Amino acid sequence: MKAATGCLVGVLAIPVAALIVMAGLLTAAGAAPGGEGGGMRGVPPEFQPWIRKAVAECDHPELTPALMAAQLYHESGFRTDRGAVSHADAKGPAQFIPATWHTWGRDVDGKNGASEFDIGDAVMAQGRYMCSLLGDAKASPYRDDVRRLALAGYNAGWGAVERFKGVPPKGFARGETYRYVIAIMDLIDDFEGPSPLSVTGSGAGADALRRAAARIGTPYAWGGGGPGGPSRGFCDKINGYLLGRCSASSTEGFDCSSLVQYAYWPSTRLPRTAAAQYAATSHRPIARSQLRPGDLLFWSRRGGDIYHVGLYAGDGQVLHAPRTGRNVEVQPLAEAMPARDFLGATRA
């Protein structure tokens, strides 16, 4: 089977933890260089204020935005949907097991009580727990980076750190904690520097583009992704294949329409597929000369089937999830898909 260009035509997603690959700095008209830095490059906007608050409430300077962002990325890929549950019953973006959540979880956002799935509750609990573990690490006699010790405690419990007098070795828990610490420490630098796409302005379109820009570098997965973030996709005998093998079923990411749906959710609840998104917004067509950041761009085949959607990123560019084997990226509108297939633009 060959890899096919396009978006999902049916609704199905298998939720699992997402993987994100950080991309380089991109700028566009309607966007400005620089933007949010300070260790939160590529962090979804809805997480950023809570990370700042959690860091500000900790007395240990080792708890930085980049450390928290790297940990959240590794734990869940910033997922917020109810499907973000591990085999060990760890839940939400910060992946708390029930016993640990009972100790550290609090209702800080005033929504539905303390919930592992609420961004504010989860991130603040993560910050409190990591801050406490950093204190334990500093008070311990173990000679290692206190951040490594705290991460090991977060993953395996502080008792495991005490048992091994440091980060547990590869032989403990099949190397899970050992790899967890290495992976997060390696990721910290990826979150330093400016945001991949810094968007100016306000309104639904700018906010959607800002949210989607935080996912630049996320792999394409046919049938994957949704309002809660990336997830594994699937193959349908035509789509999702790369070099003759089903790539989508082992890839956590977005396809084109799930990225757009995610970007606008929940303020605008667009449907799942590109064709349905066009049907939902076609009463608000936008001429090319009137495009604004966040407008929806559509491509269709000569037979009329709509097969692709992206978000206008300003300066003649589109932010989109192109196809299997590629990542979420910004491209010139003329190069994103065949020019003859461009159908038009709408405003959500």
Side-chain angles (χ1 to χ4, degrees), residues 278-291:
Y278 182 75
T281 59
S282 60
H283 61 289
R284 291 188 292 273
I286 303 297
R288 280 206 186 196
S289 60
Q290 301 299 314
L291 283 172

Side-chain angles (χ1 to χ4, degrees), residues 53-134:
K53 182 175 175 61
V55 168
E57 291 187 4
C58 179
D59 292 333
H60 301 296
E62 292 84 1
L63 187 67
T64 64
L67 173 58
M68 290 196 65
Q71 190 176 20
L72 283 162
Y73 155 75
H74 187 78
E75 289 284 1
S76 69
F78 301 108
R79 282 185 64 186
T80 59
D81 62 286
R82 295 278 166 171
V85 181
S86 77
H87 63 87
D89 201 30
K91 300 174 182 177
Q95 289 289 280
F96 275 94
I97 61 173
T100 312
W101 180 254
H102 180 75
T103 301
W104 300 102
R106 300 174 193 167
D107 181 14
V108 298
D109 59 9
K111 299 178 181 178
N112 308 315
S115 171
E116 304 96 317
F117 297 99
D118 287 348
I119 294 173
D121 295 355
V123 173
M124 292 304 292
Q126 174 201 5
R128 283 190 295 272
Y129 190 22
M130 280 294 292
C131 190
S132 175
L133 288 166
L134 284 166

